Amino acid sequence: QVQLVESGGGTVQAGGSLRLSCAASARTFSTYAMGWFRQAPGKERELLASTRWNGATTYLADSVKGRFATTRDNAQNTVYLYLQMNSLKPEATAVYYCAGSSTPIATRTSQYTCWGQGTQVTVSS
């Protein structure tokens, strides 16, 4: 069973920072794109950032440019995906998901087929 496990969510004051982590099987994802999404209550799931298999960022949503960054570490057995979030705003409150694709590059939500359980991020004003 394919698993992606997120960690690092929590509550932070507006203007603060958080770093989310995701661990996934290298056997499954080392050659495929991975990405970060978020879903706020009553809203659609939104693609925030995408990395191609070699770690290059292929997509970053306009709403987070200059404040969020994603990095990737393809270790021997595990792929680690990170989302560094700075200057957080209250509207960033959402459940954040790590996701994996079955293609080397993926910039559309429909290209992602495997999902983590999500981690809650709450930004207080």
Side-chain angles (χ1 to χ4, degrees):
Q1 185 177 357
V2 177
Q3 283 190 315
L4 296 94
V5 181
E6 302 106 332
S7 60
T11 299
V12 63
Q13 286 191 332
S17 297
L18 277 176
R19 188 192 195 207
L20 304 184
S21 301
C22 173
S25 169
R27 191 173 186 180
T28 304
F29 294 110
S30 62
T31 59
Y32 294 148
M34 295 183 69
W36 286 101
F37 292 75
R38 70 183 176 192
Q39 187 166 21
K43 295 190 176 181
E44 291 188 358
R45 193 167 294 188
E46 173 190 13
L47 175 61
L48 297 176
S50 174
T51 67
R52 63 186 301 176
W53 67 274
N54 63 356
T57 299
T58 52
Y59 176 83
L60 199 60
D62 287 341
S63 59
V64 302
K65 280 181 181 176
R67 299 184 298 112
F68 289 18
T70 186
T71 54
R72 176 172 176 156
D73 178 12
N74 287 342
Q76 184 172 1
N77 296 314
T78 305
V79 175
Y80 297 98
L81 188 70
Y82 303 99
L83 183 67
Q84 178 66 44
M85 305 185 292
N86 300 324
S87 302
L88 283 162
K89 303 176 182 179
E91 51 263 40
T93 295
V95 178
Y96 285 69
Y97 296 91
C98 172
S101 166
S102 55
T103 56
I105 300 175
T107 57
R108 300 191 307 273
T109 301
S110 60
Q111 293 177 291
Y112 289 86
T113 55
C114 297
W115 298 86
Q117 80 285 358
T119 186
Q120 177 69 44
V121 171
T122 301
V123 185
S124 60
S125 56

